[in-house]
Amino acid sequence: MTNYVFPENFWWGSAASGPQTEGRVAGDGKGENIWDHWYDLEPEKFFNQVGPSKTSQVYTKYKEDVALMKATGHNTFRTSIQWSRLLPNGTGKVNEQAVTFYRTYFEELIENGIEPFVNLFHFDMPMPLQEKGGWLARETVDAYAEYAKTCFELFGDLVKKWFTHNEPIVPVEGGYLYQFHYPNHVNFKEAVQVGFHENLASAKAIQIYHETGQDGEIGIILNLTPSYPRDENNAEDVKAAAIADAFFNRSFLDPAVKGEFPQELIDIVKELDIMPVMEEGDLTIIQENKVDLLGINYYQPRRIKAKETPIDKDRAPLPDDYFDNYDMPNKKMNPYRGWEIYEKGIYDILTNTRENYGNIKCFISENGMGVEGEERYVNEQGMIEDDYRIEFVTDHLKYVHQAIQEGTNCLGYHMWTCMDNWSWTNAYKNRYGFIAVDLDQDGKRTIKKSGHWFKEVATNNGFDA
Ligand code: FCB
């Protein structure tokens, strides 16, 4: 039996986001974002046709939710401000009801000993800005900088940990390459421009935050997916994996932490003649405004092999022209969601940040297990016995612990998520929470077995295994 004790003041908690939890109440003043718009347009694209208004209703239930977070051992919690709630038009006039809501929510957290970590952008582009091109448009970078400044001014006395984006590669992949986010384009050139603007916007927000002189920190949340080559002794596989890594991880990790873009990426973008439009001084802003801390979301790795399937010459290029996904035999799968489970990936990411990114201050900002049909595990007392989730978190935490023992500057672990919440087009299909939400009973909350377990872990600052 080993004693897994974590460093003092370790951050135990979970993450969520505004668009996935708040819901919409008549008269709350919220403007439209891309999710509201897309759902109205094509509700059939969403699992069981459940859209962004039918979320876990934190807008009205936040007091109960904070009490539940406390009951499950949280000392920290991340959510996001919804841009379209605070600034219904994307810029300009502030919605005062939103200010009251967020201030009250954050105060409630603080009063209960839970520090709020606040993210500015979690996939929720306000519709008036999307109509002008969203992240494709330079105007959005300026609008975002104004929005960030407004947030620091309105909430900076309460919030000391800010994040510029959650998983900024996802709007690039979903919106401009693989069609799982609005506007569902497939255009590599646009994808590159969107990624560049997101990076620039992040650096600008960091600059603005540091200029306020507030006594907090600002970072970014990245979903880092280690890219493992099929065969480490095969130079072509190794090269393909490095390219996938440059596209999906280093495209944001390098600018955020080192202030520069990876050379592999620049080479490809130049070769394809799809360099983004930039203004003079942009690269200096990125170079000079790096993150104070890094949030790492980890779910599953990428398995990569050298390109074997021929490229379809009739279609425009995509990142996939440089590698193939490798379906590794005998990999461990989450039987409820079809994602690979590879616990050591979390250790590899943490080791990489220590060895290659100056051992930057970091924390695990999301990790978790999506489960479809979880109701089947309800016991006679009405509690979901999610032993699989306890095992999943334990196995990952062991590797986090090992990385810390070896010197990685990892300050915390946040589960995705606390309350089951609305997961974009998957809606409520896969449940991730350690607290169940019953949509048929007005969002009734019940702590799962994992929630009680997490409370123990947080209280003891570790576990024995
Ligand atoms: C992550 C997102 C989060 C949630 C989980 C399941 O990629 O950050 O919003 O959807 O996946």
Side-chain angles (χ1 to χ4, degrees):
M1 195 154 94
T2 318
N3 229 217
Y4 292 90
V5 180
F6 286 79
E8 234 179 283
N9 302 320
F10 201 67
W11 302 330
W12 294 105
S14 67
S17 77
Q20 292 174 273
T21 57
E22 285 171 14
R24 230 174 145 170
V25 177
D28 62 17
K30 184 184 167 304
E32 248 201 340
N33 66 24
I34 54 173
W35 295 97
D36 306 312
H37 177 81
W38 188 20
Y39 179 71
D40 287 347
L41 216 60
E42 296 181 293
E44 68 283 359
K45 290 269 165 72
F46 294 75
F47 183 72
N48 283 346
Q49 305 221 9
V50 173
S53 287
K54 197 175 175 184
T55 60
S56 41
Q57 309 161 21
V58 75
Y59 193 73
T60 47
K61 293 185 190 271
Y62 68 90
K63 258 185 190 283
E64 183 186 347
D65 287 355
V66 172
L68 285 165
M69 287 178 209
K70 194 173 177 183
T72 47
H74 287 57
N75 57 23
T76 45
F77 169 68
R78 168 171 65 104
T79 188
S80 71
I81 290 172
Q82 282 204 78
W83 189 345
S84 59
R85 181 181 294 290
L86 191 68
L87 305 176
N89 295 316
T91 57
K93 201 168 160 0
V94 169
N95 170 15
E96 289 305 330
Q97 294 180 76
V99 180
T100 308
F101 167 63
Y102 288 118
R103 285 199 67 87
T104 320
Y105 185 17
F106 300 156
E107 278 163 5
E108 185 73 16
L109 285 161
I110 294 165
E111 278 162 23
N112 283 281
I114 303 168
E115 183 183 348
F117 289 12
V118 175
N119 171 36
L120 295 171
F121 188 81
H122 202 124
F123 314 161
D124 55 337
M125 181 61 67
M127 213 42 217
L129 295 173
Q130 186 62 44
E131 275 159 8
K132 295 179 187 162
W135 283 121
L136 260 183
R138 177 79 189 199
E139 243 181 287
T140 299
V141 177
D142 300 328
Y144 172 88
E146 176 201 318
Y147 158 62
K149 187 161 185 270
T150 309
C151 289
F152 304 147
E153 281 166 4
L154 289 169
F155 310 111
D157 57 329
L158 300 173
V159 178
K160 303 295 170 195
K161 299 271 186 306
W162 290 97
F163 298 92
T164 59
H165 293 278
N166 176 77
E167 306 188 346
I169 191 70
V170 170
V172 174
E173 291 178 284
Y176 298 88
L177 292 172
Y178 306 121
Q179 295 182 290
F180 58 90
H181 277 198
Y182 193 81
N184 295 308
H185 293 182
V186 182
N187 187 317
F188 202 171
K189 187 174 168 58
E190 289 185 355
V192 169
Q193 187 70 57
V194 163
F196 179 74
H197 278 160
E198 284 185 294
N199 269 303
L200 179 63
S202 178
K204 285 199 174 195
I206 293 170
Q207 180 175 31
I208 293 167
Y209 185 68
H210 287 151
E211 281 169 6
T212 65
Q214 292 182 10
D215 58 338
E217 295 178 295
I218 185 159
I220 193 165
I221 308 278
L222 300 180
N223 50 322
L224 298 178
T225 48
S227 292
Y228 300 113
R230 167 182 51 184
D231 176 358
E232 283 188 12
N233 299 313
N234 175 328
E236 292 301 307
D237 285 351
V238 171
K239 189 174 161 212
I243 291 177
D245 185 42
F247 273 127
F248 300 117
N249 299 318
R250 296 180 57 209
S251 50
F252 287 96
L253 181 60
D254 285 25
V257 180
K258 298 182 173 173
E260 63 192 27
F261 289 93
Q263 195 55 46
E264 286 96 325
L265 196 66
I266 298 173
D267 290 346
I268 290 176
V269 164
K270 279 197 172 145
E271 179 193 324
L272 294 174
D273 197 20
I274 54 172
M275 279 291 277
V277 178
M278 298 181 216
E279 286 180 12
E280 211 184 315
D282 285 355
L283 291 177
T284 313
I285 293 176
I286 291 173
Q287 196 180 20
E288 290 178 353
N289 296 285
K290 293 172 229 165
V291 294
D292 302 325
L293 83 161
L294 174 68
I296 297 165
N297 295 356
Y298 174 66
Y299 290 92
Q300 61 173 345
R302 253 173 231 277
R303 307 276 175 190
I304 299 290
K305 60 183 178 183
K307 194 82 198 153
E308 287 174 354
T309 54
I311 297 165
D312 175 357
K313 294 269 186 258
D314 291 335
R315 67 151 174 79
L318 285 177
D320 319 47
D321 292 342
Y322 295 87
F323 54 81
D324 279 338
N325 290 310
Y326 168 53
D327 191 13
M328 190 173 76
N330 305 322
K331 59 188 177 192
K332 180 169 156 192
M333 298 297 286
N334 167 357
Y336 311 100
R337 190 181 176 177
W339 282 10
E340 182 180 351
I341 298 182
Y342 184 65
E343 302 86 353
K344 185 172 172 285
I346 210 164
Y347 168 83
D348 290 344
I349 300 171
L350 289 170
T351 305
N352 185 36
T353 61
R354 182 175 77 242
E355 291 179 346
N356 300 313
Y357 292 86
N359 203 9
I360 182 163
K361 220 192 259 187
C362 65
F363 74 113
I364 300 301
S365 42
E366 283 182 27
N367 178 229
M369 190 180 183
V371 177
E372 190 176 349
E374 214 171 22
E375 316 77 63
R376 81 189 105 140
Y377 297 110
V378 177
N379 67 16
E380 281 173 6
Q381 288 73 47
M383 182 184 77
I384 290 175
E385 297 198 5
D386 52 347
D387 293 278
Y388 40 84
R389 186 168 285 113
I390 296 174
E391 187 184 321
F392 179 99
V393 179
T394 305
D395 291 348
H396 283 81
L397 276 174
K398 285 182 184 171
Y399 275 113
V400 173
H401 184 264
Q402 187 181 335
I404 294 172
Q405 294 300 302
E406 292 170 11
T408 299
N409 205 357
C410 175
L411 306 179
Y413 176 89
H414 280 185
M415 264 279 286
W416 184 273
T417 181
C418 183
M419 252 59 67
D420 283 339
N421 67 32
W422 183 79
S423 220
W424 320 109
T425 53
N426 277 330
Y428 275 86
K429 187 172 178 204
N430 302 301
R431 306 295 180 108
Y432 278 88
F434 39 47
I435 299 170
V437 170
D438 189 340
L439 291 180
D440 296 330
Q441 288 193 60
D442 190 36
K444 179 168 173 263
R445 279 94 161 110
T446 314
I447 300 180
K448 301 178 194 176
K449 189 172 174 186
S450 61
H452 295 290
W453 170 83
F454 195 76
K455 159 90 176 162
E456 290 299 302
V457 173
T459 309
N460 299 325
N461 201 31
F463 54 90
D464 292 332

